[in-house]
Amino acid sequence: MASVNADAWIPEEYGSEVINRVLQQSAVEYAGRHYPMGSTLVEVPRIGTATTVVVPKKGAYVDDANTLDTVEMRAVKFTNAMPIAEEDLEDSNADIIQAQQLSVATSYATHFDVACLGTTATANPTGAATVPFTSVYKATGTGQKIGVTAATYSALSDTFAIVEGGQYWNDADAFVIAHPKFKSVFRGILDNSGRPIFVEGLAGTPSTLFGVEVRFSYGAITSATASATPGGAGGAAGAAGNPLLVVGNRQHLVVGDRTPMEWRLTEDIGRRTDEPLLQMRARKGFVVTRPEAFGILEVTKS
C-alpha cells in the first residue's frame, strides 16, 4: 500500500466502517439524544413539567409556573496517536490504516460509555480530564439506585419502577444499557417450572427487557476514572468496578456533537524514523438533563 500523507483532518462520514463501529459498540452514542455543538461550551434547554387546569365558561386562563432553564454541556477531545512503519504501509496486504482506525473506534466506544454512565467522581473536563463528564451514576441520587449482590427478576422490575412511576418516563423514548455480565443474569432467571423467563435473542440472551431494547456496553460499570479499559481489560471478568444496568429516557441522555471522529496521517512531526503518525480524534460532550429520568441497578460484590 502506498504511503499517504494528509495535510488536514479527514472527517469520518456516517456510513463509514469506523463510524459504524462506534455506533455498534457505544451504547450511549446509539441510545442518546444527539445535540449539535457550535462551540466548546453550550447550554442545553431544559423545560419543567407543565400542568393543565379546568376553567368555567368564559373563565380566565391560569398562568403556568413552568419555567425553561438550561444545563451546561462542555465538549472534550478523545484522541489517539500511533506511529506506523512505512514498511508496513508499503508491504502489507491489509489496510493498516483502517485496521488501526477500527481498533481506536472500539476503544473510544468503551471510553465514552464509561465516562457517560459509570464514573463515580466529580467531572474534571479540563486538564487531564480523567473524568470528562458528570456520569448518570454520579448525577442520580441514592433513591434512584438499587444495589444487590445478585440481580433477580424482582430487582430488574424494581429498577424499572423507579422511573416508570415518575414524570419523565416515556415508553417511546425508553432505553436499557447494561454491562455484558447481565447477559448471564438474564439467561439464568427461571420461572417456577425451571424454564428461562427471557429466551429471545441469540443463545437465549434477550434483546429486550420488559419490552425495551437492551444495548450492552463494557462501559456500564462503576469506575473512578474514564478509560478504554475501566476496571480491567475491557471491563472483563475480575474488573474492579460494579456492573450496571441503566434504565431511562433517552431525551435526557444528551450526547453533544462538536466534531465527528476524524483522522490524519502526518509525516511532519520532526521524527528521524520512517514512521508517519496516525492521529485520530473526536470532540464530544455529554450531559444528564434530568437525573430523575434514570434508574440504576448496581451489582455489588458480596
Side-chain angles (χ1 to χ4, degrees):
M1 180 177 180
S3 178
V4 177
N5 185 43
D7 294 326
W9 289 95
I10 302 173
E12 287 290 338
E13 301 293 339
Y14 281 90
S16 75
E17 270 196 85
V18 175
I19 290 297
N20 286 340
R21 178 69 64 91
V22 170
L23 293 177
Q24 289 167 10
Q25 296 288 331
S26 171
V28 176
E29 287 267 17
Y30 176 86
R33 173 168 66 94
H34 286 257
Y35 191 93
M37 301 184 70
S39 61
T40 298
L41 196 65
V42 300
E43 293 185 337
V44 181
R46 178 181 68 172
I47 195 166
T49 303
T51 61
T52 57
V53 297
V54 176
V55 299
K57 183 178 180 180
K58 297 184 179 180
Y61 280 75
V62 178
D63 291 345
D64 194 325
N66 186 27
T67 58
L68 175 68
D69 62 2
T70 60
V71 289
E72 187 177 276
M73 179 166 61
R74 180 184 295 272
V76 300
K77 185 164 60 178
F78 294 82
T79 65
N80 179 278
M82 56 185 71
I84 300 178
E86 280 194 356
E87 290 86 347
D88 290 335
L89 291 173
E90 294 169 352
D91 300 341
S92 176
N93 292 326
D95 189 334
I96 300 298
I97 292 177
Q98 185 176 80
Q100 296 288 20
Q101 287 176 315
L102 293 176
S103 177
V104 172
T106 301
S107 296
Y108 158 79
T110 299
H111 191 174
F112 185 71
D113 280 5
V114 73
C116 299
L117 298 173
T119 48
T120 58
T122 301
N124 59 345
T126 58
T130 53
V131 184
F133 314 122
T134 297
S135 70
V136 176
Y137 187 88
K138 181 67 174 177
T140 53
T142 56
Q144 293 159 260
K145 299 185 182 78
I146 296 176
V148 296
T149 56
T152 63
Y153 185 93
S154 294
L156 294 169
S157 178
D158 290 344
T159 304
F160 267 70
I162 292 173
V163 286
E164 282 177 325
Q167 57 187 340
Y168 296 108
W169 178 259
N170 180 358
D171 287 343
D173 291 318
F175 73 87
V176 176
I177 298 175
H179 190 277
K181 287 184 178 180
F182 277 91
K183 290 183 178 182
S184 63
V185 171
F186 297 157
R187 292 192 294 264
I189 294 178
L190 310 177
D191 63 17
N192 291 335
S193 300
R195 295 171 299 190
I197 292 176
F198 306 115
V199 294
E200 77 272 24
L202 297 175
T205 300
S207 55
T208 62
L209 183 62
F210 304 131
V212 179
E213 182 183 12
V214 179
R215 302 288 294 191
F216 293 98
S217 171
Y218 284 114
I221 190 170
T222 59
S223 181
T225 60
S227 75
T229 55
N242 296 330
L244 303 174
L245 181 143
V246 180
V247 181
N249 183 332
R250 62 170 38 92
Q251 295 299 324
H252 300 287
L253 188 81
V254 180
V255 176
D257 296 321
R258 180 67 183 104
T259 60
M261 182 73 71
E262 52 190 356
W263 67 278
R264 69 179 177 186
L265 188 68
T266 177
E267 297 174 347
D268 187 21
I269 55 176
R271 290 182 176 271
R272 289 171 173 255
T273 61
D274 294 329
E275 290 181 302
L277 191 69
L278 176 64
Q279 295 175 295
M280 296 189 68
R281 70 182 185 184
R283 295 181 65 195
K284 288 285 182 174
F286 173 78
V287 71
V288 172
T289 58
R290 291 288 180 186
E292 310 96 303
F294 302 91
I296 296 176
L297 178 61
E298 178 180 5
V299 179
T300 60
K301 294 177 174 60
S302 57

